[in-house]
Amino acid sequence: MSIVLEACVGCYEDAKKAVERGANRIELCDNLKEGGTTPSYGTINLACKNFDIPVAVIIRPRGGNFVYSDDEFEIMKKDIEICRELGAYAVVFGILTKDNKIDIERNRELINLSKGLKVTFHMAFDEIENKVEAIETLIDLGVDRILTKGCKTSALDGKDILKNLVQISNGRIEILIGGSVTKNNYKELVEYIGCNEAQGSRIV
């Protein structure tokens, strides 16, 4: 089975280079030093218009934790509507409660707004202690994939956890590995973990 390589990029020009280098999918962000925030309308529009590979857009109004105010939540909802209008392939988000559990109601609302788009739950997942329970919750919510490094450091450190998550998911949800995954180590990691998708800012 072929491996899907998703390039995490911080601007349009980096996205363009990743496409030219053979990326299979783009995760479009701004502010990668903050872990990625939602890019501008113009960036999303041009990427969806000009690239012939799927474009996933991060929906994150700021860096920091994954507990959002009511105003930030409204911003996220509007950004999802914009992504759908502009022809994005997927949206990437994750909302947690103050005790680092999945905020079921708010995530469900965003998922319902994302009809017609794929949904990736991002590395907020790595803040959750009970990952097995979290996987089942995300499957029930209708999430398509989870972007995770298996731990709080890197996919290399979390490879045994990632392998277990792939086995638990059993094809019901895609496990997209990320976190220090590069063009030099993704093959080894994917083979060991048993997944089909890998993400990184240096994946191609």
Side-chain angles (χ1 to χ4, degrees), residues 141-158:
L141 285 171
V143 170
D144 297 288
R145 63 175 47 82
I146 301 168
L147 170 62
T148 174
K149 48 190 180 291
C151 62
K152 292 187 180 181
T153 53
S154 72
L156 192 61
D157 293 338

Side-chain angles (χ1 to χ4, degrees), residues 37-57:
T37 58
T38 306
S40 73
Y41 179 105
T43 301
I44 300 167
N45 182 49
L46 208 60
C48 292
K49 179 178 165 184
N50 289 350
F51 302 150
D52 59 1
I53 63 171
V55 176
V57 181

Side-chain angles (χ1 to χ4, degrees), residues 9 23 38 49 54 76 97 143 151 161 164 166 169 177 190 196 202-203:
V9 299
T38 306
K49 179 178 165 184
M76 294 172 83
T97 60
V143 170
C151 62
I161 296 169
N164 187 46
V166 169
S169 67
I177 65 166
V190 163
N196 303 314
R202 294 175 290 132
I203 201 77

Side-chain angles (χ1 to χ4, degrees), residues 180-199:
S180 301
V181 180
T182 71
K183 60 184 178 183
N184 297 320
N185 66 16
Y186 80 83
K187 288 181 182 177
E188 178 185 344
L189 282 168
V190 163
E191 184 177 350
Y192 180 82
I193 293 163
C195 59
N196 303 314
E197 300 188 351
Q199 191 219 69

Side-chain angles (χ1 to χ4, degrees), residues 137 165 167 189:
T137 299
L165 293 177
Q167 291 169 350
L189 282 168

